[in-house]
Amino acid sequence: MEAQLVLVFDTGNGTQEAKVFTEQPLGLQFPSKMPIIVHRIREGSQAERIDVQLGWQLVKIGDELVQAMTFKDANRVFRESIAPLPKRMVVRRAPVDAVSVAQLSDRIGSIGSARVVSYLQQFGFAAQSAYVWQEDVKQPQVRLWLDGHRRYGVDRPHTWYVLLGKIVASDASSTAQWQVERRLSHMRALMHHCVKEDLSNEYNSYFESSHFAYRGGPAGSSARLAAWLEALSKTINVKALSPFLVASLLNFLEAPTQEQTAEQTRESKPITSLQKQTVGQTLENEPVAPVLEQTARQTLEESEAIHAGSVNATGIKQYEEEEEE
């Protein structure tokens, strides 16, 4: 039988609810303190599908009661309990030593025009050449959205935006989902500018009401970026962008190929990213997806998680006062 995890919650109205989870990530976010209260729920996540509610208090992890535990002990028990669950999302760790555009460009490399057709085939896309899509062929559908932001570094922390991606096969037979982190300057130089150049005079017709975030990351940047990513997804799906640019965007976003997605599902092992994280700002020095599905935006004094739950209008507004480029 496939692994599963039962979590029991106090609903706050005198009753308890047991919810069965069968995959990672769960889609829950908790502050790193006791009692463990559901703080946010990721859009489209397993937690949302099985109707977990905000404000519920976690009281039992499998057979373990958590009320008398410290958060550190609860963190450990949760980590051990979710480990057997199959992973359904590829988590790419933030390349924290590539803070500049040049450093990230060197790290991820580029897709030359001669490689575009074969590169896109790995994701199920069909192109005739680097600049022409195959006609009368149904292409995969792409969705990109924002899942919050967090700050890394002690001497000079930088804001990293957590992006989620989904590629649904043209026949809906498979779905690749992943998470990647990028700075606003990365996205401006290697996404926004490239899209504007590719679309040229047609750019405004696709992004008329979805403007990219301002430089410096002032208040409102997350909302603008979220809207821009939504517009970008639609633009990709109507084949308005060239195959060359779509390949470049997938490379920039470290999208998992169909083979990598199938391997992850079979083996339930995370696909390694460009590098391992070195900043230990979360519990147990676990930089990505620590227990209680928390990855913090954090300062050393505060460990409120922001990315493991959904990013909605409330969540975006809650944290954008500290955004920066």
Side-chain angles (χ1 to χ4, degrees):
M1 185 177 71
E2 191 168 281
Q4 64 182 32
L5 171 63
V6 178
L7 299 183
V8 179
F9 299 89
D10 185 330
T11 65
N13 60 6
T15 63
Q16 293 187 346
E17 288 272 353
K19 296 294 183 180
V20 180
F21 292 84
T22 58
E23 63 185 47
Q24 301 182 56
L26 309 189
L28 296 171
Q29 178 197 343
F30 307 88
S32 55
K33 62 183 180 180
M34 302 297 287
I36 300 170
I37 306 294
V38 178
H39 183 61
R40 295 173 69 197
I41 299 172
R42 171 175 277 166
E43 176 189 353
S45 68
Q46 183 180 197
E48 184 180 66
R49 295 195 302 270
I50 63 177
D51 202 31
V52 177
Q53 299 295 308
L54 294 176
W56 283 8
Q57 179 179 332
L58 181 64
V59 297
K60 198 173 183 181
I61 303 171
D63 296 325
E64 301 277 351
L65 292 171
V66 301
Q67 289 100 322
M69 295 183 184
T70 64
F71 185 80
K72 182 177 180 180
D73 288 338
N75 188 49
R76 175 185 53 78
V77 171
F78 199 97
R79 188 190 308 271
E80 294 171 351
S81 299
I82 66 174
L85 300 181
K87 296 179 175 69
R88 304 302 186 195
M89 178 180 287
V90 176
V91 177
R92 307 296 198 187
R93 300 172 187 244
V96 293
D97 63 346
V99 297
S100 73
V101 172
Q103 288 171 328
L104 183 66
S105 296
D106 289 343
R107 182 172 289 278
I108 64 176
S110 61
I111 304 299
S113 58
R115 291 182 54 210
V116 167
V117 173
S118 60
Y119 181 80
L120 288 175
Q121 285 175 344
Q122 298 178 93
F123 306 94
F125 290 93
Q128 292 184 21
S129 69
Y131 297 97
V132 180
W133 292 105
Q134 285 193 22
E135 297 181 3
D136 302 323
V137 174
K138 189 176 181 181
Q139 305 284 2
Q141 294 293 291
V142 177
R143 187 190 172 202
L144 304 171
W145 68 103
L146 181 65
D147 199 40
H149 61 274
R150 50 187 178 163
R151 292 170 67 80
Y152 289 134
V154 177
D155 295 332
R156 188 183 177 188
H158 295 286
T159 299
W160 292 80
Y161 289 81
V162 182
L163 309 179
L164 299 183
K166 178 187 292 187
I167 302 176
V168 181
S170 57
D171 60 359
S173 61
S174 64
T175 299
Q177 298 184 74
W178 78 101
Q179 171 188 301
V180 67
E181 297 183 52
R182 294 291 183 259
R183 295 189 62 208
L184 192 57
S185 57
H186 296 154
M187 291 182 280
R188 176 176 287 105
L190 302 177
M191 292 182 76
H192 177 246
H193 289 347
C194 298
V195 171
K196 290 192 72 173
E197 181 178 357
D198 196 77
L199 291 174
S200 188
N201 294 334
E202 296 183 359
Y203 178 83
N204 287 337
S205 64
Y206 292 99
F207 294 88
E208 182 177 7
S209 59
S210 303
H211 303 290
F212 197 77
Y214 292 120
R215 292 183 181 276
S221 294
S222 288
R224 292 172 70 95
L225 182 57
W228 190 84
L229 289 170
E230 182 179 356
L232 176 61
S233 302
K234 294 177 181 177
T235 306
I236 293 172
N237 291 334
V238 298
K239 297 191 289 189
L241 299 176
S242 68
F244 177 83
L245 183 56
V246 172
S248 298
L249 292 173
L250 294 177
N251 181 60
F252 169 77
L253 294 169
E254 296 186 76
T257 64
Q258 291 179 327
E259 182 179 349
Q260 289 173 326
T261 301
E263 180 182 353
Q264 166 113 347
T265 301
R266 286 195 305 269
E267 300 183 5
S268 195
K269 295 178 181 178
I271 297 173
T272 57
S273 86
L274 294 173
Q275 69 164 95
K276 291 185 177 180
Q277 196 85 270
T278 58
V279 286
Q281 287 189 303
T282 53
L283 288 179
E284 306 290 336
N285 289 325
E286 181 69 18
V288 170
V291 159
L292 307 183
E293 307 249 331
Q294 170 183 258
T295 48
R297 86 163 194 232
Q298 17 211 84
T299 62
L300 295 179
E301 297 79 28
E302 178 183 12
S303 57
E304 279 287 323
I306 67 163
H307 95 277
S310 67
V311 164
N312 49 36
T314 303
I316 288 172
K317 291 178 181 177
Q318 182 174 358
Y319 294 105
E320 64 189 7
E321 72 273 12
E322 290 196 11
E323 292 175 18
E324 65 171 23
E325 189 146 334

